[in-house]
Amino acid sequence: MAEFSIIDTYFNRRQNTAVDLGIGDDSALLLPPAGHQLVVCTDTLVAGRHFPLDTPAHAIGWKSVAVNLSDIAAMGATPHSILLGLSLPDAEPDWLQGFSDGLYACCDQYSVNLIGGDTTQSPHLNLTVTALGWVKNGQAVMRSGAQVDDLVVVSGSIGDAAFALQHLGHPLQKRLDYPTPRCELGALVRGLASSMIDISDGLVQDLGHILKASQVGAHIELNQLPIDPVLQALDPQVRWQYALAGGDDYELCFTISKDNYQHLLEQQPNVATTVIGRIQAETGLVFTHNGQTQALHLNGYQHFA
Protein backbone atom coordinates (compact mmCIF):
# COMPACT_ATOMS: atom_id res chain seq x y z
CA MET A 1 0.00 0.00 0.00
CA ALA A 2 1.39 3.42 -0.96
CA GLU A 3 1.99 6.19 1.59
CA PHE A 4 -0.94 8.37 0.54
CA SER A 5 -3.28 5.38 0.41
CA ILE A 6 -2.30 4.59 4.03
CA ILE A 7 -3.04 8.17 5.06
CA ASP A 8 -6.37 8.34 3.22
CA THR A 9 -7.52 4.95 4.48
CA TYR A 10 -6.49 5.06 8.13
CA PHE A 11 -5.55 8.60 9.19
CA ASN A 12 -7.73 11.13 7.36
CA ARG A 13 -10.82 11.64 9.44
CA ARG A 14 -12.85 14.84 9.35
CA GLN A 15 -11.47 17.51 11.69
CA ASN A 16 -13.60 19.44 14.13
CA THR A 17 -14.10 23.20 13.97
CA ALA A 18 -11.03 23.83 16.18
CA VAL A 19 -8.73 23.08 13.22
CA ASP A 20 -8.41 25.62 10.40
CA LEU A 21 -6.60 23.20 8.06
CA GLY A 22 -5.69 19.61 8.87
CA ILE A 23 -4.46 16.61 6.90
CA GLY A 24 -4.17 17.05 3.13
CA ASP A 25 -1.77 19.96 2.69
CA ASP A 26 1.93 20.58 3.35
CA SER A 27 1.23 21.86 6.85
CA ALA A 28 -1.69 22.26 9.23
CA LEU A 29 -3.13 25.65 10.19
CA LEU A 30 -4.27 26.47 13.71
CA LEU A 31 -5.45 29.71 15.29
CA PRO A 32 -4.46 29.89 18.97
CA PRO A 33 -7.18 31.25 21.26
CA ALA A 34 -6.65 34.85 22.29
CA GLY A 35 -4.54 35.23 25.42
CA HIS A 36 -3.13 31.69 25.28
CA GLN A 37 0.30 30.16 24.82
CA LEU A 38 1.01 27.14 22.62
CA VAL A 39 2.25 24.10 24.54
CA VAL A 40 4.19 21.52 22.48
CA CYS A 41 5.77 18.16 23.34
CA THR A 42 6.95 15.07 21.48
CA ASP A 43 7.66 11.43 22.32
CA THR A 44 9.13 8.59 20.29
CA LEU A 45 8.10 4.98 20.93
CA VAL A 46 10.29 2.16 19.58
CA ALA A 47 9.04 -1.42 19.33
CA GLY A 48 10.85 -3.66 21.79
CA ARG A 49 12.13 -0.67 23.73
CA HIS A 50 9.01 1.21 24.83
CA PHE A 51 6.49 -1.61 24.45
CA PRO A 52 6.78 -5.41 24.05
CA LEU A 53 6.97 -6.61 20.45
CA ASP A 54 3.69 -8.54 20.75
CA THR A 55 1.70 -5.56 22.07
CA PRO A 56 -1.64 -5.32 20.22
CA ALA A 57 -1.78 -2.60 17.56
CA HIS A 58 -4.80 -0.98 19.23
CA ALA A 59 -2.85 -0.57 22.48
CA ILE A 60 0.15 0.89 20.64
CA GLY A 61 -2.11 3.44 18.95
CA TRP A 62 -3.67 4.45 22.27
CA LYS A 63 -0.38 4.66 24.14
CA SER A 64 1.36 6.71 21.44
CA VAL A 65 -1.22 9.45 22.00
CA ALA A 66 -1.69 9.06 25.76
CA VAL A 67 1.96 9.50 26.73
CA ASN A 68 2.03 12.85 24.93
CA LEU A 69 -1.25 14.07 26.38
CA SER A 70 0.23 13.28 29.79
CA ASP A 71 3.01 15.78 29.11
CA ILE A 72 0.45 18.40 28.08
CA ALA A 73 -1.52 17.73 31.27
CA ALA A 74 1.66 18.12 33.34
CA MET A 75 1.85 21.75 32.22
CA GLY A 76 -1.73 22.41 33.33
CA ALA A 77 -2.64 22.82 29.65
CA THR A 78 -5.58 21.64 27.56
CA PRO A 79 -4.65 19.23 24.72
CA HIS A 80 -5.75 20.22 21.23
CA SER A 81 -4.14 18.15 18.45
CA ILE A 82 -1.37 15.75 17.49
CA LEU A 83 1.03 15.04 14.62
CA LEU A 84 2.07 11.45 13.87
CA GLY A 85 5.36 10.20 12.43
CA LEU A 86 4.95 6.49 11.62
CA SER A 87 7.79 4.24 10.39
CA LEU A 88 6.58 0.75 9.43
CA PRO A 89 8.30 -2.45 8.29
CA ASP A 90 5.14 -3.39 6.35
CA ALA A 91 1.82 -1.75 5.51
CA GLU A 92 -0.23 -4.61 6.96
CA PRO A 93 -3.96 -3.65 6.77
CA ASP A 94 -5.13 -5.43 9.95
CA TRP A 95 -2.31 -3.89 12.00
CA LEU A 96 -2.93 -0.43 10.55
CA GLN A 97 -6.65 -0.67 11.26
CA GLY A 98 -6.06 -1.70 14.86
CA PHE A 99 -3.44 0.99 15.38
CA SER A 100 -5.66 3.66 13.82
CA ASP A 101 -8.64 2.58 15.94
CA GLY A 102 -6.55 2.79 19.13
CA LEU A 103 -5.07 6.15 18.21
CA TYR A 104 -8.47 7.66 17.45
CA ALA A 105 -10.03 6.10 20.55
CA CYS A 106 -7.59 8.11 22.69
CA CYS A 107 -8.00 11.22 20.53
CA ASP A 108 -11.79 11.05 20.81
CA GLN A 109 -11.79 10.55 24.58
CA TYR A 110 -9.73 13.70 25.08
CA SER A 111 -11.19 15.79 22.21
CA VAL A 112 -7.93 15.81 20.25
CA ASN A 113 -7.45 15.95 16.46
CA LEU A 114 -4.83 14.24 14.31
CA ILE A 115 -3.83 17.11 12.02
CA GLY A 116 -0.83 15.78 10.08
CA GLY A 117 2.43 13.87 10.10
CA ASP A 118 4.40 11.47 7.94
CA THR A 119 4.56 7.76 7.09
CA THR A 120 7.53 5.83 5.76
CA GLN A 121 8.96 2.32 5.56
CA SER A 122 11.62 1.25 8.04
CA PRO A 123 13.18 -2.04 9.20
CA HIS A 124 11.72 -1.38 12.66
CA LEU A 125 8.43 -0.03 13.99
CA ASN A 126 8.93 3.51 15.33
CA LEU A 127 6.29 6.08 16.23
CA THR A 128 6.76 9.73 17.06
CA VAL A 129 3.80 11.80 18.19
CA THR A 130 3.93 15.56 18.69
CA ALA A 131 1.12 16.98 20.82
CA LEU A 132 -0.10 20.57 20.93
CA GLY A 133 -2.22 22.28 23.55
CA TRP A 134 -3.18 25.67 24.95
CA VAL A 135 -2.73 27.34 28.30
CA LYS A 136 -3.62 30.88 29.32
CA ASN A 137 -0.69 33.28 29.23
CA GLY A 138 1.56 32.86 32.25
CA GLN A 139 -0.47 29.98 33.77
CA ALA A 140 1.61 26.97 32.72
CA VAL A 141 2.65 24.84 35.70
CA MET A 142 6.40 24.30 35.47
CA ARG A 143 8.93 22.22 37.40
CA SER A 144 10.69 25.16 39.00
CA GLY A 145 8.11 26.49 41.46
CA ALA A 146 8.19 24.06 44.41
CA GLN A 147 8.31 25.83 47.79
CA VAL A 148 9.49 24.67 51.20
CA ASP A 149 6.62 23.02 53.16
CA ASP A 150 4.60 22.31 50.00
CA LEU A 151 2.95 18.90 49.97
CA VAL A 152 4.18 16.34 47.44
CA VAL A 153 1.16 14.71 45.79
CA VAL A 154 0.70 11.98 43.19
CA SER A 155 -2.39 10.89 41.28
CA GLY A 156 -3.71 7.37 40.88
CA SER A 157 -1.43 4.48 41.81
CA ILE A 158 2.22 3.97 40.90
CA GLY A 159 4.27 0.92 40.02
CA ASP A 160 1.48 -0.95 38.20
CA ALA A 161 2.96 -0.69 34.70
CA ALA A 162 6.46 -1.69 35.82
CA PHE A 163 5.03 -4.73 37.58
CA ALA A 164 2.96 -5.62 34.51
CA LEU A 165 6.01 -5.43 32.25
CA GLN A 166 7.61 -8.18 34.35
CA HIS A 167 4.35 -10.17 34.56
CA LEU A 168 2.82 -9.99 31.09
CA GLY A 169 -0.72 -11.34 31.01
CA HIS A 170 -1.49 -10.08 34.54
CA PRO A 171 -4.65 -7.91 34.84
CA LEU A 172 -2.41 -4.91 35.61
CA GLN A 173 -1.11 -5.07 32.04
CA LYS A 174 -3.95 -2.74 31.10
CA ARG A 175 -2.11 -0.04 33.04
CA LEU A 176 0.96 -0.68 30.89
CA ASP A 177 -0.83 -0.86 27.54
CA TYR A 178 -3.51 1.78 28.14
CA PRO A 179 -2.13 4.56 30.37
CA THR A 180 -4.60 7.27 31.39
CA PRO A 181 -3.39 10.84 30.80
CA ARG A 182 -4.66 12.97 33.70
CA CYS A 183 -5.85 15.86 31.56
CA GLU A 184 -8.74 16.92 33.79
CA LEU A 185 -6.60 16.87 36.93
CA GLY A 186 -3.86 18.84 35.19
CA ALA A 187 -6.33 21.58 34.36
CA LEU A 188 -7.75 21.57 37.91
CA VAL A 189 -4.39 22.10 39.59
CA ARG A 190 -3.47 24.99 37.29
CA GLY A 191 -3.31 28.04 39.52
CA LEU A 192 -3.07 25.86 42.64
CA ALA A 193 0.05 23.70 42.25
CA SER A 194 3.50 25.27 42.51
CA SER A 195 5.16 22.69 40.25
CA MET A 196 4.21 19.55 38.34
CA ILE A 197 5.60 16.71 36.20
CA ASP A 198 4.23 13.49 34.76
CA ILE A 199 5.71 10.22 36.01
CA SER A 200 7.13 8.52 32.94
CA ASP A 201 10.61 7.43 34.07
CA GLY A 202 9.83 6.58 37.71
CA LEU A 203 8.76 8.77 40.64
CA VAL A 204 12.27 9.21 42.07
CA GLN A 205 13.77 10.34 38.79
CA ASP A 206 10.88 12.58 37.77
CA LEU A 207 10.39 14.17 41.20
CA GLY A 208 14.15 14.73 41.11
CA HIS A 209 13.65 16.98 38.08
CA ILE A 210 11.30 19.16 40.15
CA LEU A 211 13.71 19.28 43.07
CA LYS A 212 16.64 20.25 40.84
CA ALA A 213 14.69 22.93 38.99
CA SER A 214 13.29 24.33 42.25
CA GLN A 215 16.56 23.96 44.22
CA VAL A 216 14.85 22.18 47.10
CA GLY A 217 14.64 18.68 48.58
CA ALA A 218 11.83 16.39 49.69
CA HIS A 219 10.92 13.98 52.45
CA ILE A 220 8.87 10.98 51.22
CA GLU A 221 6.99 8.64 53.56
CA LEU A 222 7.02 5.18 51.98
CA ASN A 223 3.90 4.08 53.86
CA GLN A 224 1.91 6.74 52.01
CA LEU A 225 2.77 5.65 48.47
CA PRO A 226 -0.44 4.79 46.55
CA ILE A 227 0.27 1.18 45.59
CA ASP A 228 -2.08 -1.47 44.20
CA PRO A 229 -2.87 -4.34 46.62
CA VAL A 230 -1.03 -6.72 44.26
CA LEU A 231 2.18 -4.78 44.86
CA GLN A 232 1.45 -4.27 48.56
CA ALA A 233 1.72 -8.04 49.00
CA LEU A 234 5.32 -8.04 47.76
CA ASP A 235 8.51 -7.68 49.77
CA PRO A 236 8.91 -3.97 50.67
CA GLN A 237 12.15 -3.53 48.74
CA VAL A 238 10.54 -5.05 45.63
CA ARG A 239 7.37 -2.96 45.74
CA TRP A 240 9.35 0.22 46.40
CA GLN A 241 11.48 -0.54 43.36
CA TYR A 242 8.37 -0.84 41.19
CA ALA A 243 6.66 2.21 42.67
CA LEU A 244 9.62 4.55 42.86
CA ALA A 245 11.73 3.58 39.87
CA GLY A 246 9.62 1.46 37.53
CA GLY A 247 8.30 4.13 35.18
CA ASP A 248 5.49 4.10 32.61
CA ASP A 249 2.92 5.26 35.20
CA TYR A 250 1.91 8.50 33.43
CA GLU A 251 0.43 9.80 36.65
CA LEU A 252 0.96 13.38 37.77
CA CYS A 253 3.30 14.39 40.58
CA PHE A 254 2.83 17.93 41.85
CA THR A 255 3.73 20.17 44.77
CA ILE A 256 1.07 22.32 46.39
CA SER A 257 0.47 24.27 49.58
CA LYS A 258 -1.76 22.69 52.23
CA ASP A 259 -4.49 25.31 51.72
CA ASN A 260 -4.45 24.95 47.94
CA TYR A 261 -4.65 21.18 48.26
CA GLN A 262 -7.84 21.58 50.25
CA HIS A 263 -9.21 23.80 47.49
CA LEU A 264 -8.34 21.10 44.96
CA LEU A 265 -10.14 18.40 46.96
CA GLU A 266 -13.23 20.59 47.14
CA GLN A 267 -13.36 20.48 43.33
CA GLN A 268 -13.64 16.66 43.50
CA PRO A 269 -11.06 15.58 40.91
CA ASN A 270 -11.95 12.52 38.85
CA VAL A 271 -8.92 10.57 40.11
CA ALA A 272 -7.65 9.93 43.61
CA THR A 273 -4.69 12.00 44.78
CA THR A 274 -2.36 11.08 47.64
CA VAL A 275 0.00 13.18 49.76
CA ILE A 276 3.27 11.24 49.89
CA GLY A 277 5.60 13.79 51.47
CA ARG A 278 6.70 17.37 51.87
CA ILE A 279 9.20 19.74 50.28
CA GLN A 280 12.15 20.71 52.48
CA ALA A 281 14.92 23.28 52.18
CA GLU A 282 17.76 20.76 52.34
CA THR A 283 18.38 19.34 48.87
CA GLY A 284 18.06 15.63 48.11
CA LEU A 285 15.45 12.95 48.77
CA VAL A 286 14.88 11.45 52.22
CA PHE A 287 12.75 8.30 52.59
CA THR A 288 11.19 7.12 55.84
CA HIS A 289 9.16 4.03 56.72
CA ASN A 290 7.30 3.90 60.02
CA GLY A 291 9.43 6.81 61.19
CA GLN A 292 12.71 5.14 60.30
CA THR A 293 14.99 6.53 57.60
CA GLN A 294 15.46 4.14 54.68
CA ALA A 295 18.58 4.16 52.52
CA LEU A 296 17.28 3.36 49.04
CA HIS A 297 19.42 3.30 45.91
CA LEU A 298 17.05 3.62 42.98
CA ASN A 299 17.39 4.70 39.39
CA GLY A 300 14.52 5.43 37.02
CA TYR A 301 14.19 4.41 33.40
CA GLN A 302 17.36 5.06 31.40
CA HIS A 303 16.89 5.83 27.72
CA PHE A 304 20.50 4.90 26.91
CA ALA A 305 21.09 2.05 29.34
Side-chain angles (χ1 to χ4, degrees):
M1 185 178 291
E3 176 188 3
F4 296 110
S5 296
I6 293 174
I7 295 170
D8 288 339
T9 303
Y10 302 105
F11 303 109
N12 196 11
R13 287 197 340 188
R14 180 192 296 254
Q15 310 297 323
N16 68 30
T17 55
V19 177
D20 297 296
L21 180 66
I23 293 172
D25 222 298
D26 289 307
S27 298
L29 297 175
L30 304 175
L31 182 63
H36 286 69
Q37 292 174 287
L38 173 65
V39 182
V40 185
C41 66
T42 192
D43 263 303
T44 295
L45 301 181
V46 179
R49 178 68 173 172
H50 297 98
F51 53 86
L53 292 173
D54 60 353
T55 301
H58 189 281
I60 297 170
W62 174 282
K63 189 169 186 175
S64 66
V65 179
V67 300
N68 282 275
L69 300 190
S70 182
D71 282 329
I72 297 291
M75 301 296 290
T78 300
H80 177 272
S81 48
I82 62 166
L83 300 162
L84 169 67
L86 179 60
S87 299
L88 290 167
D90 298 293
E92 206 282 314
D94 288 344
W95 190 93
L96 281 165
Q97 189 63 63
F99 174 80
S100 173
D101 288 345
L103 179 143
Y104 277 118
C106 192
C107 286
D108 290 346
Q109 182 158 331
Y110 297 96
S111 301
V112 167
N113 290 284
L114 174 63
I115 60 171
D118 188 34
T119 58
T120 189
Q121 190 171 31
S122 167
H124 305 287
L125 173 61
N126 297 283
L127 311 102
T128 297
V129 170
T130 298
L132 300 90
W134 315 121
V135 67
K136 288 184 178 179
N137 289 342
Q139 291 194 13
V141 186
M142 295 179 284
R143 301 175 180 181
S144 55
Q147 302 293 313
V148 174
D149 290 331
D150 278 351
L151 306 177
V152 179
V153 182
V154 295
S155 65
S157 58
I158 54 177
D160 303 347
F163 175 86
L165 185 60
Q166 301 300 319
H167 301 82
L168 296 177
H170 190 279
L172 283 178
Q173 187 169 341
K174 186 173 183 180
R175 292 274 287 149
L176 173 68
D177 291 344
Y178 291 91
T180 303
R182 302 302 184 184
C183 297
E184 181 178 321
L185 178 63
L188 282 179
V189 303
R190 184 178 62 239
L192 297 175
S194 55
S195 68
M196 185 157 56
I197 194 169
D198 82 320
I199 306 171
S200 56
D201 296 329
L203 176 64
V204 165
Q205 184 161 298
D206 290 320
L207 176 58
H209 295 318
I210 286 180
L211 303 183
K212 181 178 180 180
S214 301
Q215 299 182 11
V216 292
H219 166 219
I220 303 299
E221 174 50 58
L222 296 170
N223 278 348
Q224 295 175 224
L225 296 175
I227 300 176
D228 187 276
V230 171
L231 275 69
Q232 287 285 11
L234 301 174
D235 176 85
Q237 294 292 332
V238 175
R239 69 169 178 260
W240 293 338
Q241 174 67 34
Y242 283 132
L244 296 171
D248 249 9
D249 291 310
Y250 299 102
E251 296 292 348
L252 294 180
C253 174
F254 56 95
T255 61
I256 188 169
S257 71
K258 185 176 180 180
D259 287 345
N260 281 353
Y261 186 56
Q262 291 304 312
H263 291 318
L264 173 64
L265 294 180
E266 290 167 5
Q267 298 180 60
Q268 298 182 329
N270 67 344
V271 60
T273 59
T274 305
V275 177
I276 62 169
R278 189 177 298 271
I279 295 296
Q280 60 186 22
E282 184 179 355
T283 57
L285 265 173
V286 176
F287 299 98
T288 56
H289 181 243
N290 293 331
Q292 300 296 314
T293 300
Q294 297 287 317
L296 301 181
H297 302 285
L298 305 165
N299 292 305
Y301 177 80
Q302 299 299 313
H303 295 268
F304 291 91

